[in-house]
Amino acid sequence: MTTLRVLVAEDDDDHRYLTVRALRRTMQGSTEILEARDGEETLDWLFGRGAHAHAAPPNLVFLDLQMPKASGFDVLERLQGHPELAAIPVIVVTSSRQREDIDTAYALGSNSYVSKASGRRLVAHLQQVAEYWTRNSELPVITS
């Protein structure tokens, strides 16, 4: 894979900034970090719609559950219904620690569920997760 494309789907500006910062500290080689501020923009990135019609899909997604326009659960459901895109690893990063949300996220195809910690702890957790997925795992190349 020549360029790793990572989508950060997060409506909170501070949390999105911290996630991107953690990813940039961890990523090696050629990496493109994409950002989505709501569920609809996330779906646009994934399905190549609207302003992202000519963009290749990401290889990895960091997804908040509580977003406007379409929730993270909505995004997971849509991915699950698309055979090729369903192969994209999705790391849910959310403030919810409710058992129902955790179970639902995994049932809808999430590959990991990370509860948001505060500040430095969040960055440290995200760096650990990013390191696993970008250095220790082989990610799929999605062409659709």
Side-chain angles (χ1 to χ4, degrees):
M1 175 179 332
T2 55
T3 299
L4 175 66
R5 295 171 50 84
V6 179
L7 175 60
V8 176
E10 170 64 68
D11 63 311
D12 182 280
D13 292 337
D14 292 335
H15 290 165
R16 192 174 54 257
Y17 168 79
L18 289 172
T19 304
V20 169
R21 184 172 140 197
L23 291 170
R24 287 205 171 113
R25 286 182 177 178
T26 305
M27 302 296 182
Q28 295 178 335
S30 182
T31 303
E32 183 178 1
I33 299 177
L34 317 168
E35 297 181 40
R37 288 162 179 76
D38 61 53
E40 273 304 311
E41 186 178 10
T42 303
L43 291 169
D44 288 349
W45 274 114
L46 291 164
F47 288 92
R49 308 183 314 200
H52 309 297
H54 301 291
N59 308 96
L60 180 65
V61 176
F62 284 77
L63 178 69
D64 184 25
L65 291 180
Q66 306 299 322
M67 292 189 295
K69 298 186 182 178
S71 72
F73 292 126
D74 296 332
V75 170
L76 287 168
E77 281 185 85
R78 293 288 306 276
L79 282 175
Q80 193 176 48
H82 191 284
E84 190 167 341
L85 295 179
I88 299 171
V90 177
I91 293 85
V92 168
V93 181
T94 187
S95 56
S96 173
R97 290 191 166 130
Q98 294 182 9
R99 175 52 47 197
E100 181 180 351
D101 288 346
I102 296 167
D103 293 345
T104 300
Y106 280 117
L108 291 173
S110 172
N111 298 88
S112 185
Y113 192 101
V114 178
S115 295
K116 290 179 184 172
S118 60
R120 290 183 193 169
R121 286 186 55 219
L122 175 60
V123 172
H125 288 159
L126 290 171
Q127 283 179 281
Q128 290 172 343
V129 172
E131 183 169 338
Y132 171 78
W133 284 102
T134 62
R135 293 184 186 177
N136 302 327
S137 297
E138 295 293 330
L139 296 172
V141 176
I142 309 298
T143 58
S144 94

